[in-house]
Amino acid sequence: MAKIKSVYVCSECGYESPKWYGKCPGCNQWNTMDEKISETANSAKVITSPGHVMALDDITEDVERRISTGNNEFDRVLGGGIVIGSLVLLSGDPGIGKSTILLQICQHLGEKRKILYVSGEESANQIKMRANRLGVTTDNLYILTQTNVSIIIETIKTEKPDLVIVDSIQTMVYDEVASSAGSVTQVRECTNIYMHTAKGLGIPIIIVGHVNKDGAIAGPKVLEHIVDTVLYFEGEKNYSYRILRGVKNRFGSTNEIGVFEMTSDGLKEVLNPSLMMISGRPANTSGTCVACVMEGTRPLLAEVQGLVCATGFGTPRRMSTGFDYNRMSMLLAVLEKRAGFIFSNMDAYVNVIGGLKLDEPAADLTVAMALVSSLKDKPVGDKVLAFGEVGLGGEIRAVNNCEQRINEAYRLGFEKCIIPFHNYKPLPKELKTSLDIVPVRNIRDAFSALTEE
Ligand code: TYD
Ligand code: MG
């Protein structure tokens, strides 16, 4: 027998509680708690038939069928193309270029396939103008300006396109849900409907989701567990390049990135991102060092700058852009305690060029080198690259994919690599001879090259 229980759910943030509140404890909005009847099963008395189990051996593997978007960077992040019947979420800040990239991939996809572009944000005229500017001329692209999910689903069923693009999920409304478009309940419900449609009809659907002020896709992460693939489109307003990052992928590896540049005629693929990241680096200057970080399977060079100067008064200032603030404080403490570089009366700033965010421990040594180089006012060297994780004992710990990182440095004309000692031995001989590789055990070794006179 089922037991009837009522819960109160916030229509804005999805907060659930057994008790009614005038003000939601989750999002502090007034009058948003709605009663919902939920049935909790009384397991002892419910008789249901058992589910059907299958031996792993008996399951025939369905080869995933993918469609290529014709855009190498986009395909790479998806793991080789869009999987038939999958639901992909493309999210990012407003104005970053989500609509632009999706319209661009329509050009190639439209050669063979029928695409339905559902827009709840722009008028058909606006889309046409943008398509003209981007050179999208395919006859197979159909535009539907609609926000009602029920109508959209009916259209998909009758039109039977090969791909559906929904721009954006925040504008969609499902009549059965009382809350307004963009609220968590609405967004979640609409996504669920699209998921069923994608799976049921075998039509891949890409939905666009704007990231709200807190950096989460409307309704903290509510969509990410529903969809098959989550892509983030990132970039800084002041820079023209954009990074497409795979953060979840049921059909491929995550952490892959694709790099694009926003130009006057749309987004262009960047074939050599490392070169772009280190271009314009000041020559023979102290306080700069280059890191090599792994973005998925791809090594990427990044310039880290450090600036250290005497504190004017009071407590020293520390500031970090593109590198974790706490990790920077830890590095300063290690440098002071283990290598004798005194920062306690110094302001210290770290900046990663190009708006990149380095969240890999391999960048520790690079940040430390940049800071010490600035403190001592001695350049690290224009052709020198350093990476390695710094431990609290001042030891430099091994990192993964060392060989790939060094290869990338070599490809871009670097001559010297400062690497963790434990990574040195397994390196192939050719690599050791083609570059000056300096294996180091602790931070003192790493800086001896800088400080020795
Ligand atoms: P858009 O794709 O509309 O962003 P989103 O859908 O993520 O909100 O991108 C809009 C921005 O891109 C806008 O600031 C103008 C710029 N842009 C270009 O620089 N070049 C172009 O060719 C296009 C179409 C847009
Ligand atoms: Mg848009």
Side-chain angles (χ1 to χ4, degrees), residues 76-79 88-92 211 215 217 221 223-225 227-234 243-258 295-296 359:
R76 166 216 288 276
V77 180
L78 285 169
V88 178
L89 169 68
L90 175 65
S91 62
V211 167
I217 304 167
K221 305 258 172 196
L223 298 188
E224 297 198 358
H225 70 272
V227 302
D228 294 310
T229 305
V230 181
L231 309 178
Y232 267 91
F233 212 18
E234 311 172 336
I243 293 179
L244 183 69
R245 193 183 291 277
V247 288
K248 168 183 170 178
N249 196 349
R250 285 191 182 140
F251 305 105
S253 79
T254 50
N255 299 325
E256 283 298 345
I257 64 159
E295 291 284 0
D359 47 10

Side-chain angles (χ1 to χ4, degrees), residues 95 97-100 117 121-122 130 167 208 210:
K98 299 179 293 296
S99 309
T100 307
Y117 190 109
E121 298 200 335
E122 286 154 306
R130 179 180 303 201
D167 190 2
V208 170
H210 292 296

Side-chain angles (χ1 to χ4, degrees), residues 254-292:
T254 50
N255 299 325
E256 283 298 345
I257 64 159
V259 185
F260 298 90
E261 190 176 3
M262 182 63 99
T263 66
S264 54
D265 13 284
L267 287 151
K268 294 259 169 350
E269 298 173 37
V270 175
L271 300 173
N272 195 348
S274 287
L275 187 65
M276 191 175 77
M277 294 296 169
I278 57 168
S279 61
R281 193 171 164 229
N284 203 22
T285 311
S286 66
T288 156
C289 187
V290 174
C292 188

Side-chain angles (χ1 to χ4, degrees), residues 11-281:
S11 58
E12 289 299 317
C13 73
Y15 183 89
E16 280 187 26
S17 146
K19 182 170 130 194
W20 187 85
Y21 289 100
K23 182 180 170 189
C24 168
C27 64
N28 293 333
Q29 294 283 330
W30 287 93
N31 246 341
T32 53
M33 303 293 281
D34 297 327
E35 186 177 9
K36 243 192 177 175
I37 308 291
S38 75
E39 289 187 356
T40 48
N42 194 340
S43 56
K45 292 188 184 140
V46 176
I47 303 163
T48 38
S49 51
H52 173 64
V53 293
M54 283 167 101
L56 190 60
D57 250 6
D58 299 340
I59 304 172
T60 47
E61 195 181 344
D62 233 358
V63 186
E64 303 148 5
R65 285 186 303 131
R66 290 179 187 266
I67 42 180
S68 164
T69 60
N71 184 314
N72 289 335
E73 298 289 299
F74 203 87
D75 277 354
R76 166 216 288 276
V77 180
L78 285 169
I82 306 169
V83 175
I84 305 287
S86 69
L87 184 64
V88 178
L89 169 68
L90 175 65
S91 62
D93 290 330
I96 204 80
K98 299 179 293 296
S99 309
T100 307
I101 186 117
L102 291 176
L103 206 52
Q104 277 182 274
I105 61 169
C106 290
Q107 175 62 15
H108 175 86
L109 287 167
E111 283 171 15
K112 291 200 199 101
R113 292 164 215 277
K114 182 175 172 181
I115 307 157
L116 178 67
Y117 190 109
V118 184
S119 181
E121 298 200 335
E122 286 154 306
S123 67
N125 203 18
Q126 278 173 310
I127 299 172
K128 174 74 182 166
M129 270 163 26
R130 179 180 303 201
N132 277 346
R133 191 140 55 87
L134 296 172
V136 179
T137 50
T138 172
D139 314 328
N140 272 334
L141 177 61
Y142 295 86
I143 311 290
L144 172 68
T145 47
Q146 182 57 262
T147 55
N148 187 319
V149 177
S150 313
I151 299 178
I152 295 168
I153 299 299
E154 281 314 306
T155 318
I156 295 175
K157 282 181 184 158
T158 47
E159 293 286 329
K160 296 196 178 57
D162 298 305
L163 173 73
V164 179
I165 294 171
V166 178
D167 190 2
S168 67
I169 194 71
Q170 271 92 2
T171 56
M172 296 292 138
V173 270
Y174 180 49
D175 315 330
E176 311 272 305
V177 178
S179 54
S180 57
S183 70
V184 171
T185 348
Q186 196 62 265
V187 164
R188 186 166 47 195
E189 212 47 54
C190 294
T191 310
N192 265 322
I193 297 172
Y194 283 121
M195 187 66 175
H196 283 129
T197 313
K199 293 275 171 301
L201 303 177
I203 298 173
I205 302 182
I206 303 179
I207 55 179
V208 170
H210 292 296
V211 167
N212 61 16
K213 289 190 287 299
D214 314 327
I217 304 167
K221 305 258 172 196
V222 281
L223 298 188
E224 297 198 358
H225 70 272
I226 307 173
V227 302
D228 294 310
T229 305
V230 181
L231 309 178
Y232 267 91
F233 212 18
E234 311 172 336
E236 296 282 320
K237 284 260 156 21
N238 307 331
Y239 297 95
S240 61
Y241 75 87
R242 305 279 182 263
I243 293 179
L244 183 69
R245 193 183 291 277
V247 288
K248 168 183 170 178
N249 196 349
R250 285 191 182 140
F251 305 105
S253 79
T254 50
N255 299 325
E256 283 298 345
I257 64 159
V259 185
F260 298 90
E261 190 176 3
M262 182 63 99
T263 66
S264 54
D265 13 284
L267 287 151
K268 294 259 169 350
E269 298 173 37
V270 175
L271 300 173
N272 195 348
S274 287
L275 187 65
M276 191 175 77
M277 294 296 169
I278 57 168
S279 61
R281 193 171 164 229

Side-chain angles (χ1 to χ4, degrees), residues 306-362:
L307 182 69
V308 178
C309 54
T311 306
F313 66 96
T315 22
R317 256 175 86 83
R318 271 99 176 78
M319 230 174 84
S320 174
T321 317
F323 187 75
D324 184 53
Y325 176 83
N326 293 326
R327 191 115 193 135
M328 171 196 175
S329 306
M330 185 206 87
L331 285 175
L332 289 172
V334 173
L335 287 172
E336 188 150 340
K337 180 88 178 166
R338 307 289 178 186
F341 296 110
I342 308 299
F343 287 96
S344 51
N345 50 355
M346 295 289 195
D347 290 345
Y349 304 90
V350 167
N351 181 30
V352 180
I353 299 295
L356 266 187
K357 286 183 185 57
L358 306 187
D359 47 10
E360 222 198 344

